PDB file of all heavy atoms in Angstrom:
ATOM      1  N   ILE A 371      85.904 188.448  -2.072  1.00  0.00           N
ATOM      2  CA  ILE A 371      85.355 188.027  -0.773  1.00  0.00           C
ATOM      3  C   ILE A 371      83.856 187.751  -0.918  1.00  0.00           C
ATOM      4  O   ILE A 371      83.346 186.751  -0.417  1.00  0.00           O
ATOM      5  CB  ILE A 371      85.612 189.106   0.317  1.00  0.00           C
ATOM      6  CG1 ILE A 371      87.095 189.176   0.666  1.00  0.00           C
ATOM      7  CG2 ILE A 371      84.793 188.808   1.581  1.00  0.00           C
ATOM      8  CD1 ILE A 371      87.473 190.383   1.536  1.00  0.00           C
ATOM      9  N   GLY A 372      83.166 188.631  -1.644  1.00  0.00           N
ATOM     10  CA  GLY A 372      81.721 188.467  -1.838  1.00  0.00           C
ATOM     11  C   GLY A 372      81.404 187.112  -2.460  1.00  0.00           C
ATOM     12  O   GLY A 372      80.478 186.410  -2.032  1.00  0.00           O
ATOM     13  N   GLN A 373      82.203 186.717  -3.463  1.00  0.00           N
ATOM     14  CA  GLN A 373      81.959 185.424  -4.128  1.00  0.00           C
ATOM     15  C   GLN A 373      82.196 184.266  -3.165  1.00  0.00           C
ATOM     16  O   GLN A 373      81.417 183.306  -3.101  1.00  0.00           O
ATOM     17  CB  GLN A 373      82.912 185.262  -5.331  1.00  0.00           C
ATOM     18  CG  GLN A 373      82.622 186.225  -6.467  1.00  0.00           C
ATOM     19  CD  GLN A 373      83.822 186.357  -7.423  1.00  0.00           C
ATOM     20  OE1 GLN A 373      84.962 185.979  -7.092  1.00  0.00           O
ATOM     21  NE2 GLN A 373      83.574 186.914  -8.597  1.00  0.00           N
ATOM     22  N   ILE A 374      83.280 184.386  -2.393  1.00  0.00           N
ATOM     23  CA  ILE A 374      83.625 183.285  -1.473  1.00  0.00           C
ATOM     24  C   ILE A 374      82.565 183.151  -0.377  1.00  0.00           C
ATOM     25  O   ILE A 374      82.122 182.047  -0.051  1.00  0.00           O
ATOM     26  CB  ILE A 374      85.033 183.528  -0.852  1.00  0.00           C
ATOM     27  CG1 ILE A 374      86.096 183.386  -1.941  1.00  0.00           C
ATOM     28  CG2 ILE A 374      85.297 182.568   0.301  1.00  0.00           C
ATOM     29  CD1 ILE A 374      87.464 183.913  -1.557  1.00  0.00           C
ATOM     30  N   VAL A 375      82.135 184.295   0.166  1.00  0.00           N
ATOM     31  CA  VAL A 375      81.154 184.260   1.256  1.00  0.00           C
ATOM     32  C   VAL A 375      79.825 183.674   0.750  1.00  0.00           C
ATOM     33  O   VAL A 375      79.179 182.874   1.421  1.00  0.00           O
ATOM     34  CB  VAL A 375      80.976 185.669   1.867  1.00  0.00           C
ATOM     35  CG1 VAL A 375      79.792 185.714   2.823  1.00  0.00           C
ATOM     36  CG2 VAL A 375      82.258 186.089   2.589  1.00  0.00           C
ATOM     37  N   MET A 376      79.454 184.050  -0.481  1.00  0.00           N
ATOM     38  CA  MET A 376      78.217 183.506  -1.061  1.00  0.00           C
ATOM     39  C   MET A 376      78.327 181.985  -1.213  1.00  0.00           C
ATOM     40  O   MET A 376      77.399 181.246  -0.866  1.00  0.00           O
ATOM     41  CB  MET A 376      77.969 184.172  -2.417  1.00  0.00           C
ATOM     42  CG  MET A 376      76.659 183.811  -3.046  1.00  0.00           C
ATOM     43  SD  MET A 376      75.287 184.438  -2.041  1.00  0.00           S
ATOM     44  CE  MET A 376      73.930 183.631  -2.860  1.00  0.00           C
ATOM     45  N   ALA A 377      79.481 181.532  -1.690  1.00  0.00           N
ATOM     46  CA  ALA A 377      79.670 180.079  -1.863  1.00  0.00           C
ATOM     47  C   ALA A 377      79.640 179.388  -0.501  1.00  0.00           C
ATOM     48  O   ALA A 377      79.064 178.302  -0.358  1.00  0.00           O
ATOM     49  CB  ALA A 377      80.992 179.803  -2.577  1.00  0.00           C
ATOM     50  N   ARG A 378      80.246 180.008   0.492  1.00  0.00           N
ATOM     51  CA  ARG A 378      80.201 179.456   1.857  1.00  0.00           C
ATOM     52  C   ARG A 378      78.759 179.384   2.353  1.00  0.00           C
ATOM     53  O   ARG A 378      78.326 178.369   2.898  1.00  0.00           O
ATOM     54  CB  ARG A 378      81.004 180.346   2.817  1.00  0.00           C
ATOM     55  CG  ARG A 378      82.486 180.068   2.844  1.00  0.00           C
ATOM     56  CD  ARG A 378      82.736 178.684   3.368  1.00  0.00           C
ATOM     57  NE  ARG A 378      84.118 178.465   3.736  1.00  0.00           N
ATOM     58  CZ  ARG A 378      84.622 177.269   4.001  1.00  0.00           C
ATOM     59  NH1 ARG A 378      83.876 176.184   3.904  1.00  0.00           N
ATOM     60  NH2 ARG A 378      85.882 177.139   4.358  1.00  0.00           N
ATOM     61  N   ASN A 379      77.997 180.467   2.156  1.00  0.00           N
ATOM     62  CA  ASN A 379      76.606 180.478   2.623  1.00  0.00           C
ATOM     63  C   ASN A 379      75.804 179.355   1.970  1.00  0.00           C
ATOM     64  O   ASN A 379      74.938 178.748   2.590  1.00  0.00           O
ATOM     65  CB  ASN A 379      75.960 181.842   2.350  1.00  0.00           C
ATOM     66  CG  ASN A 379      76.448 182.912   3.326  1.00  0.00           C
ATOM     67  OD1 ASN A 379      77.148 182.600   4.293  1.00  0.00           O
ATOM     68  ND2 ASN A 379      76.080 184.157   3.084  1.00  0.00           N
ATOM     69  N   GLN A 380      76.123 179.086   0.686  1.00  0.00           N
ATOM     70  CA  GLN A 380      75.393 178.018  -0.009  1.00  0.00           C
ATOM     71  C   GLN A 380      75.631 176.643   0.616  1.00  0.00           C
ATOM     72  O   GLN A 380      74.790 175.758   0.539  1.00  0.00           O
ATOM     73  CB  GLN A 380      75.755 178.014  -1.494  1.00  0.00           C
ATOM     74  CG  GLN A 380      74.950 179.067  -2.236  1.00  0.00           C
ATOM     75  CD  GLN A 380      75.547 179.484  -3.564  1.00  0.00           C
ATOM     76  OE1 GLN A 380      76.665 179.079  -3.920  1.00  0.00           O
ATOM     77  NE2 GLN A 380      74.815 180.305  -4.302  1.00  0.00           N
ATOM     78  N   GLU A 381      76.785 176.508   1.285  1.00  0.00           N
ATOM     79  CA  GLU A 381      77.078 175.220   1.937  1.00  0.00           C
ATOM     80  C   GLU A 381      76.092 174.932   3.076  1.00  0.00           C
ATOM     81  O   GLU A 381      75.981 173.803   3.544  1.00  0.00           O
ATOM     82  CB  GLU A 381      78.517 175.206   2.490  1.00  0.00           C
ATOM     83  CG  GLU A 381      79.574 175.187   1.397  1.00  0.00           C
ATOM     84  CD  GLU A 381      80.989 175.431   1.921  1.00  0.00           C
ATOM     85  OE1 GLU A 381      81.195 175.423   3.161  1.00  0.00           O
ATOM     86  OE2 GLU A 381      81.890 175.636   1.096  1.00  0.00           O
ATOM     87  N   TYR A 382      75.410 175.979   3.555  1.00  0.00           N
ATOM     88  CA  TYR A 382      74.470 175.787   4.673  1.00  0.00           C
ATOM     89  C   TYR A 382      73.082 175.358   4.203  1.00  0.00           C
ATOM     90  O   TYR A 382      72.275 174.931   5.012  1.00  0.00           O
ATOM     91  CB  TYR A 382      74.363 177.084   5.502  1.00  0.00           C
ATOM     92  CG  TYR A 382      75.618 177.353   6.333  1.00  0.00           C
ATOM     93  CD1 TYR A 382      76.773 177.836   5.737  1.00  0.00           C
ATOM     94  CD2 TYR A 382      75.636 177.092   7.696  1.00  0.00           C
ATOM     95  CE1 TYR A 382      77.926 178.053   6.481  1.00  0.00           C
ATOM     96  CE2 TYR A 382      76.780 177.306   8.455  1.00  0.00           C
ATOM     97  CZ  TYR A 382      77.921 177.784   7.831  1.00  0.00           C
ATOM     98  OH  TYR A 382      79.052 177.990   8.573  1.00  0.00           O
TER      99      TYR A 382
END
Side-chain angles (χ1 to χ4, degrees):
I371 290 169
Q373 292 162 344
I374 292 166
V375 170
M376 186 65 189
R378 276 296 195 192
N379 285 352
Q380 278 160 353
E381 291 169 10
Y382 288 76

